[in-house]
Amino acid sequence: MKKIWWKEAVAYQVYPRSFMDSNGDGVGDIPGIISKLDYLKEFGIDVIWICPTFKSPNADNGYDISDYQDIMEEFGTMEEFDELLHEIHARGMKVILDLVINHTSDEHPWFIESRSSLDNPKRDWYIWKDGKDGSEPNNWESIFSGSAWELDEGTNQYYLHLFDKKQPDVNWENEEVKRALYDMVNWWLEKGIDGFRVDAISHIKKREGFPDMPNPEGVEYVSSFDMHTNQEGIHEYLEELKQETFAKYDIMTVGEANGVKIEQADEWVGEENGKFNMIFQFEHLGLWDKGTDEGVDVIQLKETLTRWQKGLYNLGWNALFFENHDQPRSVSIWGNDEEYWKESAKMLGACYFLMSGTPFIYQGQEIGMTNVKFDSIADYDDVGMKNYYRIETAKGRPHEEIMEIIWKRGRDNSRTPMQWNTELNGGFTTGIPWMKANPNYAEINVEAQKQDSDSIYHFYKKMIELRKKHEVLVYGDYELMHESHPAVYAYTRSLNGTAVLVVCNFGKGEYSIGFPEFAGRSSELLLSNYKDSDPGLPESLKLKSYETRVYLITE
């Protein structure tokens, strides 16, 4: 296995709009990020992933880009971005940006030209089709609900948008648009950034002919996931993208690869054949809707994550995460954000963070930020959930029933302002925040947790320290233990005669479990989320609710 810096790194995801506001306008910004770089450095972060700061009309919070080489006014200026880049590098950290090249904004000059006439030179830079039988070209549903097609009345054709109607999909069949995208990517790399997280990249190739989806239930639009995710021929695009851009630099690339299976991983992240250093895959997150009232199906979770752990070892590399800007807060979904908030947040952290791969921490995860329940849809910003609310309301579904789903699944759960201290709005802004802060900021905030040695913050900081100290936690192999246990997730990392045992109880209940494999070997407790844990590995390990323990095992 090759040793390289991005395998040994710990990454932290910043959602700029909600991270830190420097000027009181209620919106996080680049100077706000700069003001918190020392916090991230002290915490132990090596790589900062920053969600889009490009110029954008903000239909989807910056993932609808209108100018790839300019900065959104709310966030600052290019000069301020250059300062941010300099300050990150001055602290010995690196930065990766979101690269959104499946679609642009409908306000991007390319699309404005494309829609201006049927014979415009940029018409083919996007995907345009005639309607069929007085309706859309096919029955594909947008990922954000409703049709994936929007009629342009000026030219009487439809354009494809897999996401919002203000996010038209780029036509990757067109050589000119690909060349323009490559030039833009290289412009950023020449500026000195350290890589990209590549958004929605598994969607850039669409099924030939754009056929209708089967519709046995007779609904208006059908989920078209299978028609535009990881399609045959996509690797020709990805290989060219890599050779024209990424391969020329010593950078870190992470593909958001929804729909990619472990059997296809070699083409995506194999050290010889892969197009990216690692990918975000989402199979484990799909289990959120398949768990019990108290959390996830632990056996399914073990099976899914183990498949990726074993499948990529000595082949490629995992990107490890339980949270990001598109997901609810893990402690509210898989943990217990009330009675066992602190214990379950720590347990979930240990479970994923110590696996094989590069761990990503999403802002606020390190202090156990939770889901939020706003009563009104007006307090939410997520375009996907707003569309869902509108469509379901029109069907006559009760407000309360729709809000229950939004409270559980909505992306805005992870987008409430970062909770820095007990000041108004959690210290995020002195103005009116673009989105309400979670009211629990008075109890859950960075300042309080930095002062509490038993906090979730210090637990994460200790995990970072352990990963940097013990090479086995970076390059060691992974083995699942107690595969059939319904509540306990236990695994080992092993390298050159040293092992680390990670034990996580996902249950609200106590369990006893043994590890006879390690009888007679020396053991040392490295980490736990209860103060009275055994310093050495006992013959029978008695786990409390949501308890986690990490032991170093030597000969």
Side-chain angles (χ1 to χ4, degrees):
M1 182 187 296
K2 297 177 183 176
K3 294 184 178 182
I4 195 166
W5 64 267
W6 44 261
K7 292 181 179 180
E8 300 168 6
V10 173
Y12 187 97
Q13 182 186 356
V14 168
Y15 194 72
R17 182 168 293 273
S18 297
F19 191 61
M20 185 64 199
D21 172 25
S22 71
N23 59 8
D25 67 356
V27 178
D29 47 40
I30 290 173
I33 300 173
I34 294 172
S35 73
K36 295 299 182 181
L37 291 181
D38 288 338
Y39 165 78
L40 296 176
K41 177 65 176 177
E42 180 191 7
F43 187 44
I45 297 304
D46 303 295
V47 175
I48 304 171
W49 157 26
I50 302 178
C51 289
T53 57
F54 311 104
K55 188 174 181 181
S56 167
N58 268 317
D60 187 26
N61 276 329
Y63 284 89
D64 50 317
I65 297 170
S66 57
D67 189 337
Y68 284 106
Q69 291 169 245
D70 199 359
I71 300 295
M72 198 185 310
E73 276 187 36
E74 292 173 307
F75 288 163
T77 65
M78 187 61 76
E79 289 73 25
E80 286 171 324
F81 177 86
D82 290 341
E83 180 186 357
L84 171 64
L85 182 60
H86 171 77
E87 293 295 333
I88 289 173
H89 287 163
R91 288 166 174 79
M93 297 186 290
K94 297 180 184 290
V95 61
I96 64 173
L97 302 183
D98 250 306
L99 180 61
V100 188
I101 50 179
N102 174 73
H103 49 265
T104 69
S105 167
D106 65 344
E107 297 181 34
H108 194 292
W110 297 348
F111 187 75
I112 292 172
E113 282 194 56
S114 182
R115 79 186 311 173
S116 65
S117 68
L118 291 169
D119 58 357
N120 185 274
K122 286 189 171 61
R123 184 68 171 183
D124 192 46
W125 282 35
Y126 295 83
I127 299 171
W128 294 93
K129 299 289 180 186
D130 291 325
K132 185 172 66 176
D133 301 326
S135 188
E136 294 91 349
N138 63 30
N139 63 359
W140 291 8
E141 183 182 48
S142 161
I143 292 169
F144 286 169
S145 302
S147 175
W149 298 92
E150 182 73 9
L151 178 64
D152 176 62
E153 294 183 355
T155 58
N156 200 34
Q157 277 194 324
Y158 291 83
Y159 64 85
L160 180 69
H161 60 91
L162 297 182
F163 295 88
D164 188 66
K165 66 181 181 180
K166 288 185 67 63
Q167 294 170 292
D169 280 50
V170 167
N171 180 16
W172 274 75
E173 306 283 344
N174 184 289
E175 293 298 324
E176 289 183 340
V177 72
K178 287 195 294 183
R179 180 55 51 192
L181 290 171
Y182 302 156
D183 289 346
M184 174 272 295
V185 170
N186 286 324
W187 183 85
W188 280 103
L189 291 171
E190 284 298 310
K191 184 181 277 288
I193 68 163
D194 303 292
F196 294 102
R197 176 264 190 184
V198 191
D199 181 72
I201 194 63
S202 58
H203 299 292
I204 62 173
K205 175 71 174 176
K206 280 68 175 177
R207 184 73 59 89
E208 296 291 338
F210 297 86
D212 277 324
M213 287 291 295
N215 190 10
E217 297 180 8
V219 297
E220 188 173 11
Y221 305 111
V222 184
S223 173
S224 55
F225 192 78
D226 291 339
M227 293 289 157
H228 53 70
T229 307
N230 199 22
Q231 294 294 301
E232 184 177 350
I234 192 172
H235 285 283
E236 295 176 18
Y237 296 164
L238 298 180
E239 180 63 27
E240 184 176 88
L241 170 64
K242 174 185 174 182
Q243 295 305 325
E244 294 293 327
T245 59
F246 307 153
K248 300 175 181 179
Y249 302 85
D250 177 23
I251 60 170
M252 171 179 168
T253 57
V254 192
E256 184 193 30
N258 209 350
V260 174
K261 306 298 183 186
I262 188 61
E263 294 78 15
Q264 302 151 336
D266 182 50
E267 288 185 294
W268 282 85
V269 295
E271 290 195 345
E272 300 301 325
N273 302 316
K275 316 307 185 299
F276 301 96
N277 300 144
M278 60 193 94
I279 56 172
F280 287 124
Q281 59 82 21
F282 298 90
E283 284 189 59
H284 62 299
L285 297 190
L287 301 177
W288 271 337
D289 293 329
K290 298 177 182 178
T292 66
D293 289 340
E294 292 188 0
V296 67
D297 184 323
V298 177
I299 292 177
Q300 275 193 287
L301 180 66
K302 289 190 279 192
E303 190 277 328
T304 301
L305 290 177
T306 298
R307 187 167 62 249
W308 281 90
Q309 286 286 295
K310 301 295 287 184
L312 284 187
Y313 191 70
N314 279 329
L315 172 71
W317 200 248
N318 279 287
L320 307 172
F321 74 106
F322 271 2
E323 293 189 21
N324 65 28
H325 64 291
D326 283 334
Q327 306 299 330
R329 292 292 185 175
S330 58
V331 71
S332 297
I333 300 296
W334 285 351
N336 181 322
D337 63 8
E338 296 178 353
E339 186 180 1
Y340 292 98
W341 162 72
K342 183 189 290 188
E343 293 83 2
S344 62
K346 291 179 180 180
M347 181 277 294
L348 290 168
C351 184
Y352 90 95
F353 191 93
L354 301 175
M355 289 183 182
S356 176
T358 297
F360 285 73
I361 300 168
Y362 178 67
Q363 65 182 49
Q365 182 180 347
E366 77 274 25
I367 58 169
M369 283 180 62
T370 66
N371 281 359
V372 70
K373 292 184 177 181
F374 297 136
D375 292 329
S376 172
I377 190 64
D379 291 327
Y380 288 87
D381 182 78
D382 175 6
V383 63
M385 282 299 161
K386 280 183 171 288
N387 286 345
Y388 176 78
Y389 183 89
R390 174 178 49 80
I391 291 168
E392 293 301 305
T393 301
K395 294 177 182 177
R397 197 170 183 180
H399 165 83
E400 294 77 11
E401 191 176 310
I402 304 171
M403 293 308 295
E404 285 287 345
I405 293 171
I406 291 173
W407 291 340
K408 179 180 179 182
R409 300 180 61 181
R411 297 188 298 172
D412 285 338
N413 280 306
S414 60
R415 299 178 179 185
T416 55
M418 181 69 178
Q419 296 165 202
W420 294 105
N421 53 44
T422 58
E423 295 173 11
L424 185 64
N425 303 313
F428 162 71
T429 182
T430 57
I432 299 172
W434 76 279
M435 178 181 290
K436 287 183 179 179
N438 191 319
N440 65 16
Y441 68 79
E443 296 78 38
I444 301 176
N445 61 75
V446 170
E447 187 177 86
Q449 293 204 22
K450 288 186 74 173
Q451 295 172 5
D452 174 11
S453 62
D454 189 45
S455 67
I456 299 166
Y457 167 88
H458 281 290
F459 187 89
Y460 268 86
K461 189 173 183 181
K462 179 67 173 177
M463 287 197 297
I464 295 172
E465 292 168 357
L466 289 173
R467 194 173 183 276
K468 293 181 186 300
K469 180 179 179 180
H470 298 284
E471 190 178 41
V472 62
L473 290 174
V474 179
Y475 294 111
D477 69 0
Y478 163 103
E479 287 292 340
L480 179 67
M481 307 187 78
H482 292 284
E483 180 178 356
S484 61
H485 197 289
V488 175
Y489 194 147
Y491 63 89
T492 58
R493 302 291 308 283
S494 302
L495 184 69
N496 300 329
T498 296
V500 171
L501 171 65
V502 181
V503 186
C504 301
N505 179 12
F506 276 74
K508 185 182 177 182
E510 297 186 357
Y511 296 93
S512 292
I513 195 165
F515 297 93
E517 302 90 337
F518 301 121
R521 295 181 66 177
S522 298
S523 61
E524 174 192 350
L525 181 68
L526 296 179
L527 193 65
S528 65
N529 61 347
Y530 281 86
K531 291 182 178 179
D532 57 350
S533 299
D534 303 282
L537 180 62
E539 184 175 328
S540 179
L541 192 58
K542 293 180 173 61
L543 295 170
K544 300 181 180 70
S545 297
Y546 300 101
E547 184 169 7
T548 185
R549 299 194 200 181
V550 180
Y551 287 96
L552 179 67
I553 312 291
T554 54
E555 296 294 349

